[in-house]
Amino acid sequence: MAANNEFVGGKVMTTLYQHGTLALLVPGLFTGTQTVGELLKHGDTGIGTLEGLDGELIIMDGIVYQVNAMGQVRVVNADETVPFANVHKAHPQPKIAVEDASSDALKQIALKELKTENLFAAIRVDGEFSQMHTRAVLPQTKPYPTLAATAEGQHEFNATNIKGTIIGYFSPVIYAGAVAAGFHLHFLSEDHVMGGHILDFDLAKGNLQIETFDNFNLHLPVHDPDFLETKINAKQAMRDIAKAEN
Ligand SMILES: [Zn+2]
């Protein structure tokens, strides 16, 4: 049995694992501080970014895909590193059929199913999208710029009538800073040629699955001297996160 999913009173305890925090990206702490191989010990499904803020990661069935700033998709190797990522061990969930929903409408459906905004939850949508609009950030080199500066250089991608999968999370707003508050969703097309961090979409038809978590396991980059020494201005961090993630 995986260490992250213990039986308690006959119920599987589910855990959302996170390496790094969103706030540490704000001043430009983009050094990869955990290998993808280590990350995958904590789950088979998730999202993240590579060292240097190199593109958008989407993790499905234990395989890590990167969508880079040129819009290219490839499988990431176990020895590559992440400054920030979320994973969980996915358990099959009831499939909620959804038709003709904008991204905003789908989020409302998910919140209605959740019945609370105070739990962490994984979101998965498999379906056909009449429109998908994503972005991927440009890789940065040392000395790293701030997150706000990198957001200006991102590339956007549009696709129509595309099949694929959305993977991501809903996080309670109270944990903003450590996480991206609200919905943080990534996309990968079924043919693995288009994806990225989702800006908006229209779902023609698909299935929504939601999994809530009992535990939130925040793992910090304890061996990274830059992380240990950097002073993070909380107010500035919240402003820059809002700008970069919306
Ligand atoms: Zn993202």
Side-chain angles (χ1 to χ4, degrees):
M1 186 179 302
N4 270 344
N5 298 290
E6 301 159 68
F7 270 101
V8 175
K11 181 190 175 297
V12 176
M13 295 285 277
T14 54
T15 298
L16 171 59
Y17 175 87
Q18 178 170 304
H19 175 72
T21 71
L22 204 54
L24 66 78
L25 300 179
V26 169
L29 292 168
F30 304 157
T31 301
T33 42
Q34 184 172 64
T35 64
V36 162
E38 180 62 32
L39 179 70
L40 288 175
K41 289 180 185 168
H42 302 277
D44 54 24
T45 303
I47 59 176
T49 187
L50 286 178
E51 170 158 271
L53 224 59
D54 188 3
E56 314 288 337
L57 301 181
I58 181 163
I59 304 162
M60 284 192 287
D61 304 319
I63 300 169
V64 182
Y65 301 90
Q66 178 212 28
V67 182
N68 72 17
M70 304 313 292
Q72 297 154 334
V73 182
R74 70 175 179 99
V75 174
V76 173
N77 299 316
D79 61 352
E80 294 181 66
T81 55
V82 296
F84 179 77
N86 287 103
V87 291
H88 70 282
K89 171 88 184 72
H91 301 91
Q93 302 296 319
K95 289 182 177 160
I96 303 152
V98 181
E99 275 184 44
D100 291 324
S102 67
S103 31
D104 284 342
L106 186 95
K107 289 172 185 175
Q108 290 310 312
I109 292 166
L111 285 175
K112 216 174 140 195
E113 290 292 329
L114 266 173
K115 298 180 186 73
T116 174
E117 295 188 21
N118 297 327
L119 287 178
F120 289 92
I123 306 291
R124 177 173 178 142
V125 180
D126 296 277
E128 298 173 30
F129 299 83
S130 51
Q131 184 264 126
M132 177 58 71
H133 180 200
T134 63
R135 70 121 200 261
V137 281
L138 280 167
Q140 308 294 324
T141 50
K142 281 185 172 175
Y144 292 129
T146 63
L147 183 66
T150 64
E152 288 156 16
Q154 70 190 25
H155 289 182
E156 297 185 14
F157 310 102
N158 286 287
T160 52
N161 301 321
I162 189 165
K163 281 187 186 175
T165 301
I166 293 172
I167 302 275
Y169 298 94
F170 173 81
S171 300
V173 68
I174 192 75
Y175 307 109
V179 304
F183 291 89
H184 183 185
L185 306 173
H186 287 192
F187 176 75
L188 184 64
S189 66
E190 192 181 64
D191 56 9
H192 296 178
V193 299
M194 190 268 176
H197 175 105
I198 291 178
L199 297 173
D200 61 85
F201 62 81
D202 289 300
L203 174 66
K205 173 170 149 228
N207 287 311
L208 165 68
Q209 295 179 73
I210 302 174
E211 178 163 10
T212 57
F213 297 106
D214 303 88
N215 305 305
F216 177 56
N217 181 358
L218 177 60
H219 177 256
L220 293 170
V222 291
H223 300 298
D224 180 24
D226 290 338
F227 169 68
L228 298 175
E229 287 162 18
T230 298
K231 276 214 184 304
I232 295 175
N233 177 323
K235 270 190 186 157
Q236 182 70 37
M238 298 307 271
R239 270 200 302 272
D240 286 0
I241 286 169
K243 199 173 149 198
E245 292 301 317
N246 297 308

